[in-house]
Amino acid sequence: MRYSIFSLARNALGGHKGWTPTWRDAEPKQAYDILIIGGGGHGLATAYYLAKEHGLTNVAVLEKSWIGSGNVGRNTTIVRSNYMLPENIRFYEWSMKLWEGLEQDFNYNAMVSQRGVLNLYHSDGQRDAFARRGNAMRLSGVDAELLDREQVRRMLPFLNFDDARFPIQGGLLQRRGGTVRHDAVAWGYARGASDRGVDIVQNCEVKGFVVENGRVAGVETSRGKIHAKKIGIAVAGNSSRVAAMAGLRLPIESHVLQAFVSEGLKPLIPNVITFGAGHFYISQSDKGGLVFGGDLDGYKSYAQRGNLPVVQDVCEGGMAIMPMIGRLRLLRGWGGIMDMTMDGSPIIDKTPIEGLYLNAGWCYGGFKATPAAGWCFAHLIARDEPFPAASAFRLDRFARGAILDEKGQGAQPNLH
Amino acid sequence: MSEAIALELKSPFEASLKDAGAGDGVQVSERRNLQMATVIARAGNSDIAARLKSAFGLALLPGPKRSAANDLAFVATGPRSWLALSEASGLTPKLREALGEAAAISDQSSGYAVLRLTGPKVRATLEKGIGVDLHPRAFQPGDAASTSCAHLGVIIWQIDAAPIYEIAVFRSLADSFAHWLQESAAEFGLRVVPPR
Amino acid sequence: MTNSQRLSSGGLIDRGKPLSFRFDGKTYRGFAGDTLASALLANGVKLVGRSFKYHRPRGIFTTGAEEPNALITLRSGARREPNTKATTVELYGGLEATSQNCWPSLDFDLQAVNQLFAPLFVGGFYYKTFMWPAAFWEKVYEPLIRRAAGLGAASGLPDPDRYEHATAYCDVLIIGAGPAGLSAALAAGRAGARVILCEEDFRLGGRLLADHYQIDGETGTQWAEQAEAELTALPEVRIFRRTSVFGVYDGGVYGALERVADHLPQPPVHQPRQRVWQIVARRAITAMGALERPIVFGGNDRPGVMLASALRAYVNRFAVAPGRVALFTTTDDGWKTAEDLIRAEIPIEIVIDPRANVAEWLMKPIARAGTRILLDAVVTDTKGGRSLQAIEVLKSGSKLTFDVDTLAVSGGFNPQIGLSTHLGGRPRWSDEIGAFVPGELPSGMAVAGAAAGQYKLAECLAKGAACGAVAATDLGFSASAQPAPRVADEAIEVKPLWHVAQSRHKAFVDLQNDVTSKDVEIAHREGFRAVEHLKRYTTLGMATDQGKTSNINGHALMADLVGRAVAEVGTTRTRPPHVPIAIGALAGPHVGAHFKPTRYPAGHEWALANGASMVDAGQWHRPRWFTKPGEKDWLESVTREAKTVRAAVGVCDVSTLGKIDIQGRDAGIFLDRVYVNMFSSLAVGKARYGLMLREDGFVLDDGTTARLASDHYVMSTTTGNAAKVMQHLEFCHQVHWPELDVAMVSVTEQWTQYAVAGPKARVLLQNLLGDALDLSNEAFPYMACVEFTWANVPMRLFRLSFSGELAYEIAVPADYGEALLRELMRAGASLGVAPYGTEALGVLRIEKGHVSVGELNGQTTAADLGLGRMLSTKKDFIGRVLARRPALTDPERPTLAGFKPVDSAQRLRSGAHFVPLGITPSVENGEGYMTSVAFSPHVGSWIGLGLIKRGPARIGERVRAYDPVRGGDVEVEICSPVFVDPEGARLHV
Amino acid sequence: MRIPCPFCGLRDSSEFVTIGEASMSRPPADAPEAQIFDYVYLRDNPAGVNQELWYHAQGCRSWLKVARDTRTHEIESAVLARGGAQ
Ligand SMILES: Cc1cc2nc3c(=O)[nH]c(=O)nc-3n(C[C@H](O)[C@H](O)[C@H](O)COP(=O)(O)OP(=O)(O)OC[C@H]3O[C@@H](n4cnc5c(N)ncnc54)[C@H](O)[C@@H]3O)c2cc1C
Ligand SMILES: NC(=O)c1ccc[n+]([C@@H]2O[C@H](COP(=O)([O-])OP(=O)(O)OC[C@H]3O[C@@H](n4cnc5c(N)ncnc54)[C@H](O)[C@@H]3O)[C@@H](O)[C@H]2O)c1
Ligand SMILES: Cc1cc2nc3c(=O)[nH]c(=O)nc-3n(C[C@H](O)[C@H](O)[C@H](O)COP(=O)(O)O)c2cc1C
Ligand SMILES: [Zn+2]
């Protein structure tokens, strides 16, 4: 069913009795051409683009829980392409472009809101590092502006300009960056894929691989064995666990990242803002909640929840730049499991096992990647060659030393 | 110029430690002219205790404890390290002489700033910064802990059940520590008493 | 302004302490002991807010933190607190509250027209529309949606109040001071355990304050008072009133918020507004009670409809007298409301119970009072404008209407399972009480009382005491058995009724987020059937009450729709905080200038007194430059300072660099392993520049390390990496090579260190030290070091140079740091000495081509920095192997070079990218970037260091330094990174 | 989370930093490059009990080997990485 104000009005007249499921809740078949493991943003987008761009529809997405239950349903919704390394800029900018046309493309309003992302800087050194980044973006044709203190003050007068420990000196602004309604991305892709024939199978946990002669042949799941010629892994925080079923060790650790939402408020914070001298970033959802987060808890975890010190650290960061939020209340906090790589950049590649493909290592930045990750992963699976925008995200880059370390932290995942 | 010059000593809390609030809940004094040194046991040498015993009559307790004899105190800061404190001069050479190969000794007389805290509300104040249980059932005279207090690394030990505590912080952080102390103790009243 | 709806006697309010307050500009009066909600009700105020989506009039629904409706904005100005639940606000004199989400007024809210469009605004409508034309979303639709969103408005002003953090320890933490919690506290406290009892209310007692109970022949309130008195007298029991436990964390850590001053107009001097406690408990007992749940029927949101147990609390505890009351109950407990109203001589018109059979003894007293009873009947709809006027009841197929202004609803109770599930444990369904009860508990936690589904008072008291005793004995205390208090048992039968299907009008499931039963049906139709999907699609349970009154009904409705049991459908995950917590409280005391500690070097005050501007270097404050009278800008000061060093002598505080004492027989071997170059071969009395890699082959840090004795080195690190390097060294020692005889400790704080640099540096030091040391080039050459005593103070002198001039670094114990600085300046006065700051330091090192933070950014290799030859081939060291990976040794990597503008008047900026001349800059032809720049008085123009492909091979070539974000585009010439004295002659004079 | 430091006792995890798995130790100098690569880059990353390295940065400055369950955060044991008791 095509969505529009007219379909809405028509259904309203009919007491909303006419709506049909947004996606089919499919029973798994015994065999498919392609299986995608993981019904998160990336898995669903991959299925969508396999169907839409490559005409491959004998595809199933296997999700161990309900779709969107992973990180796509628990991120802070920020999308941007303000990276420093050309390989990353190229990929995330491709994603930005896809975001910009997404809603018309899949006929679902995911509320892509290009309200601007502002990264504050607090020292000359940081300013120059941001200049380096902004210039790299501009060289790649991506919008970037370096604001000074007065420009930031005019834009966001409520920030702490008066008694800050690390005074705000300015910021790097990407106006095209912003937020997207996270759940709707999963639902929209699921709907688009399902409409084109893809089976979305929920409550179906992959528990092992069937490998025959060095080639994948299918998976063991909580709902039985399913055969397939090609299998794509897109399980984010669970990448190591699933890869281990195929005997692979990855350059990944799973860490917990918390996020928080405040009670609903009238519009207060117009953009996405990040603190440069502490761990804090914030935006306001269209519903009115301030959505914010900060650093990883720092330890490995599969528990989807964190601890109090980081809650306090994040709020401290928030008060440091915007002391007006002191009396606003934190309503809920939650955690997600991040597939943190050794250089902080992702992996979209074939694995040593034929027919098995890997999309992983998104750290805390993979939501913004969703369209491009789906696009590029679908391309890789369908054509067995990388899509150019993702050609640097290879597994062997660590062995070669061609690492993509934006922060210069080295092989320590919790510092990226 | 030359030997005639005497360098003036400036203690870290000189400028920053001030009274706060009304009342006498907490009394604080700075321990000035303290000699301090880090003592780290060197590999293969486990006779530090024996040497301390014979040189100073100090019985070194295992674990996170303060061991003292006369003027000399050893506050354990880690499995093989201590902060030695004394008011008499020449601490570092004395320790080097007594411990020889057994330990590495580094002068820290200026490295730390040390406060002594007491008063009926001292625990109520410290629990606003220190995450270690200072209740008498858990922490007693002779106990020590290396921990953090309001974002600052500290070493704390208890001198007396009164209670009297001493806290060492890195010198450069004295102002920040004083600020925290004043804010936290103000509701009970903080009095600066003459240094000892 | 009278308390028109107040009983003349009874209740726990203090009629001797009247308090006046304002709501929406009107003045009212309440009493000490009131909440804002009870005071409003006592004043006959029923309409207090508007709902989120449809702007429907809303009143007071509950008595606690579960309140979905009565959200107001408390206080004004910078202390404004939007979305405050009137039910949780303790009344104080002068309180000021305003309604929210309405315009122009609460009574007449224009956005109530939204109700007309309600047929369109169903769950999830926005996903289906607002897509065309594409440009409209950003410009038209989204701004409209955003404006409509949210409830209260923030002040936009900095919060003026202070917050504290504190840690408390206990053997047994008890959460909730109702009968169960009080009994638990008494049992554990009497056994001698350290007990903390947290109660979010300002008065202990829980439901004992709200219901009529007899315990051991006393009223429940009296019993609670006695328990409180006994607990207060126990030395190891701490009672935290006005304190909500909001979260359970790993290892027995509980978060609690103490509202220290929220019941006052503003915090008293030296008192925080609130305090967040981190409670470390060996055992915990949650005794948080149960929350009553509503029934979903048409118009169930109208002001005047409230929970039956809440109405009872308003009558019994707050002496509020409602008007004409009806009761709609599907539980035995609901009947107690009727009983209590009758006891308070408040007429109750009718009791409606959908059950066909209700115990005689429950009905008898009600019937006797003349109240009509309708069994096997349901309320289908309500009528009224801004408050309830009538209800429609369906009984045996016929519709009856009753004029009432208050409808008490009792749909059963839900144990407060919140905290018990914070660590991920799933609740368990109990058929007996028709509710979820705590399932697998976090270790060390027990649940008692109504929170565990134990609804009988006797059971609450007994189980509470048992839990308290078990916790104490588990921990080695001996608890003596106490006789159980005598109480009359109560009936608890409940027959869940989730939804009155015969309702014609909107029946609300989530009152705050305006989620109706119809929305649940739509979600079902569209496939959002998992409860977590239902939540996200309809926003059920996502409001400020987190579904405390709504989730179960929504989930039960979905269970009906999918034809499964509630237990199978399950419930959504609860998360901390259990109640919303002010962000300022979670942030704590470290705000403003105290966000992070500040470290001051010993010479700080001297520097301030001598015109220094300061800069943050990590947590340190360092002088950046010293302004002399008449200097017009920073560049003039910095240039003067740099020139002084090159021509005469300057003094710079370098104390912030990390200093690590490394001692032991194996210290040299250890350093050989952590540095790329050799240190075991360094002569005593000498220093050497060292470079450290990470294990992945990239540069970690650099610095000079001096050998003071055969078994004693002192290492220096960069300011920013001091802690990181210390951690790394400890790691290498403790984890990799514990067998080495090496001991290390940071002595950064012990030593204040000044660089004395410039051709006259030696003279200055000779002036100062006299013949204490022979400073001649022969006796004390470049890279020499010595420990000595001067003026009875132990000192260290190093002949090091970052500036490229004849230079020394002199170190003294920090207590003498300021004194030495004064002496240095005095000794140099006749030589024209000047203090210099980090900017001039930067100028001098860039002129000399020394790398620093700009180049040591974690992305560079030794070879990138022109230091590749330092990597020893004679030994293993951290990073050796992986530094050889192909991409790290690629000759095309950007490598360190110097840069000069072709037009010497042009300014350089770091962060600019290098691109070839004459072609359009693009990412493909980017060749590297500028890492550091300075205005060089020596060269007479701006100069820079940067990393550019094959840098050293391209000296003399010109490229563009392209800086579009700052509008810069400068033609530069690649040159040697050493601009001054490339032969190093000046170092050796 | 509370870490049982063998020297200091139970302390809040915020006093510590962790750098991940302790399952593999640094290969000797003559080990093949692949082994060093494994050590630096590859992780088991198990869901379950995990041996990991924690540093008591705001305490006794010891590196600890901690056995911790990544699903529950429960800690089975903690010992000094360098071996020995205190
Ligand atoms: C708190 C937080 C904030 C974040 N903020 C941002 C942000 O602002 N911007 C941004 O760009 N990114 C952000 N991220 C990161 C982003 O959410 C993730 O990188 C991204 O969502 C990961 O891709 P995904 O959507 O496919 O993952 P997921 O949604 O996690 O999908 C993986 C799916 O695989 C399923 N699965 C796992 N194992 C199995 C199995 N064995 N069998 C079947 N199914 C399985 C899981 O149940 C899950 O549904 C944030 C993440 C978190 C947690
Ligand atoms: N007959 C029935 O159907 C029925 C049902 C439920 C309850 N009850 C009655 O209610 C009473 C239950 O006693 P109880 O002691 O279990 O509960 P209670 O409701 O009397 O007390 C719970 C207390 O916990 C406090 N609290 C809740 N959450 C808190 C938090 N996070 N932090 C701090 N404090 C918190 C509340 O303010 C309250 O004072 C009994 O009298 C019982 O008979 C009866
Ligand atoms: C962008 C964003 C906004 C959210 N807004 C709300 C909100 O307004 N109210 C709410 O209760 N939860 C909100 N949540 C949190 C969810 O309720 C939920 O906690 C989160 O999706 C993680 O799922 P879990 O808690 O079920 O594990 C939001 C989550 C995200 C990612
Ligand atoms: Zn420790």
Side-chain angles (χ1 to χ4, degrees), chain D residues 13-83:
Chain D
S13 61
S14 56
E15 292 189 356
F16 300 75
V17 289
T18 170
I19 63 158
E21 276 169 35
S23 45
M24 196 168 163
S25 47
R26 187 171 191 269
D30 54 2
E33 182 173 327
Q35 200 179 327
I36 301 195
F37 170 80
D38 258 37
Y39 164 70
V40 175
Y41 282 106
L42 298 187
R43 299 289 181 267
D44 289 337
N45 196 23
V49 178
N50 187 29
Q51 294 289 334
E52 50 200 22
L53 286 161
W54 289 71
Y55 177 54
H56 198 179
Q58 297 265 37
C60 66
R61 312 191 69 89
S62 298
W63 279 92
L64 311 179
K65 275 193 183 144
V66 178
R68 197 179 59 93
D69 193 317
T70 52
R71 293 162 307 178
T72 60
H73 302 169
E74 261 161 39
I75 294 172
E76 281 184 358
S77 66
V79 297
L80 296 178
R82 69 166 137 220

Side-chain angles (χ1 to χ4, degrees), chain C residues 371-716:
Chain C
T371 298
R372 193 162 163 195
I373 294 175
L374 288 180
L375 297 185
D376 201 7
V378 289
V379 177
T380 50
D381 285 295
T382 68
K383 289 185 177 152
R386 288 179 213 109
S387 69
L388 183 68
Q389 283 162 4
I391 57 171
E392 278 182 18
V393 176
L394 191 68
K395 160 83 185 166
S396 319
S398 54
K399 198 182 288 173
L400 308 165
T401 303
F402 298 90
D403 289 349
V404 293
D405 60 15
T406 303
L407 174 64
V409 179
S410 177
F413 284 83
N414 296 322
Q416 292 233 54
I417 54 175
L419 296 178
S420 72
T421 52
H422 280 181
L423 296 190
R426 307 298 296 178
R428 184 172 58 75
W429 177 259
S430 158
D431 266 331
E432 192 191 344
I433 59 168
F436 284 102
V437 294
E440 186 198 338
L441 294 171
S443 84
M445 184 189 277
V447 190
Q454 299 147 1
Y455 289 165
K456 292 181 179 163
L457 177 58
E459 216 181 343
C460 290
L461 292 164
K463 290 279 168 55
C467 283
V470 167
T473 44
D474 264 10
L475 299 173
F477 298 92
S478 52
S480 56
Q482 303 273 342
R486 279 174 301 107
V487 292
D489 255 350
E490 332 163 23
I492 55 157
E493 206 200 272
V494 53
K495 180 168 171 281
L497 170 69
W498 312 111
H499 176 214
V500 178
Q502 301 90 331
S503 303
R504 281 170 303 125
H505 294 117
K506 274 204 167 50
F508 288 85
V509 182
D510 185 317
L511 288 166
Q512 193 178 123
N513 272 351
D514 281 346
V515 179
T516 64
S517 54
K518 209 175 212 141
D519 292 326
V520 178
E521 287 165 23
I522 293 175
H524 173 255
R525 235 167 260 139
E526 299 203 68
F528 295 93
R529 296 175 185 182
V531 286
E532 298 285 5
H533 275 150
L534 170 67
K535 161 182 159 175
R536 285 155 179 80
Y537 195 62
T538 62
T539 75
L540 167 73
M542 295 181 87
T544 61
D545 57 326
Q546 290 285 287
K548 290 192 174 68
T549 56
S550 59
N551 275 345
I552 184 70
N553 288 337
H555 301 159
L557 280 175
M558 182 56 82
D560 270 358
L561 290 165
V562 297
R564 291 162 74 181
V566 189
E568 279 176 81
V569 182
T571 185
T572 47
R573 179 159 187 177
T574 56
R575 292 280 196 182
H578 181 68
V579 291
I581 304 291
I583 293 169
L586 289 164
H590 305 290
V591 293
H594 298 281
F595 165 58
K596 285 279 138 78
T598 307
R599 303 176 75 176
Y600 297 107
H604 180 72
E605 280 162 53
W606 183 92
L608 278 184
N610 284 275
S613 294
M614 294 294 170
V615 66
D616 288 307
Q619 293 188 343
W620 291 95
H621 267 199
R622 291 187 75 177
R624 191 173 192 187
W625 60 77
F626 295 80
T627 308
K628 277 206 164 171
E631 285 175 344
K632 60 180 190 312
D633 64 6
W634 68 273
L635 189 56
E636 192 179 340
S637 308
V638 172
T639 302
R640 171 189 45 77
E641 290 172 14
K643 278 179 165 165
T644 307
V645 173
R646 295 258 178 256
V649 59
V651 173
C652 182
D653 191 340
V654 294
S655 308
T656 62
L657 295 182
K659 303 173 215 82
I660 302 173
D661 230 17
I662 301 176
Q663 301 186 45
R665 206 171 30 253
D666 299 326
I669 297 175
F670 178 73
L671 289 172
D672 284 349
R673 295 183 188 179
V674 296
Y675 273 133
V676 301
N677 47 338
M678 283 295 230
F679 278 82
S680 54
S681 59
L682 183 68
V684 172
K686 281 295 172 97
R688 181 171 285 167
Y689 175 73
L691 191 70
M692 231 180 250
L693 304 185
R694 296 187 307 234
E695 196 71 274
D696 69 353
F698 290 87
V699 174
L700 169 61
D701 199 49
D702 72 344
T704 44
T705 288
R707 190 167 197 175
L708 299 174
S710 69
D711 61 353
H712 189 180
Y713 293 76
V714 58
M715 173 189 281
S716 65

Side-chain angles (χ1 to χ4, degrees), chain B residues 63-64 77-80 145-147 153, chain D residues 7 11 15 58-60 62 80 82 86:
Chain B
T77 52
R80 295 142 58 97
S146 296
T147 182
Chain D
F7 183 77
R11 291 292 180 82
E15 292 189 356
Q58 297 265 37
C60 66
S62 298
L80 296 178
R82 69 166 137 220
Q86 301 187 348

Side-chain angles (χ1 to χ4, degrees), chain B residues 117-138:
Chain B
L117 292 158
T118 184
K121 291 294 181 185
V122 64
R123 266 187 218 119
T125 300
L126 290 177
E127 72 183 359
K128 297 186 194 179
I130 287 186
V132 169
D133 190 3
L134 296 178
H135 186 276
R137 286 186 191 171

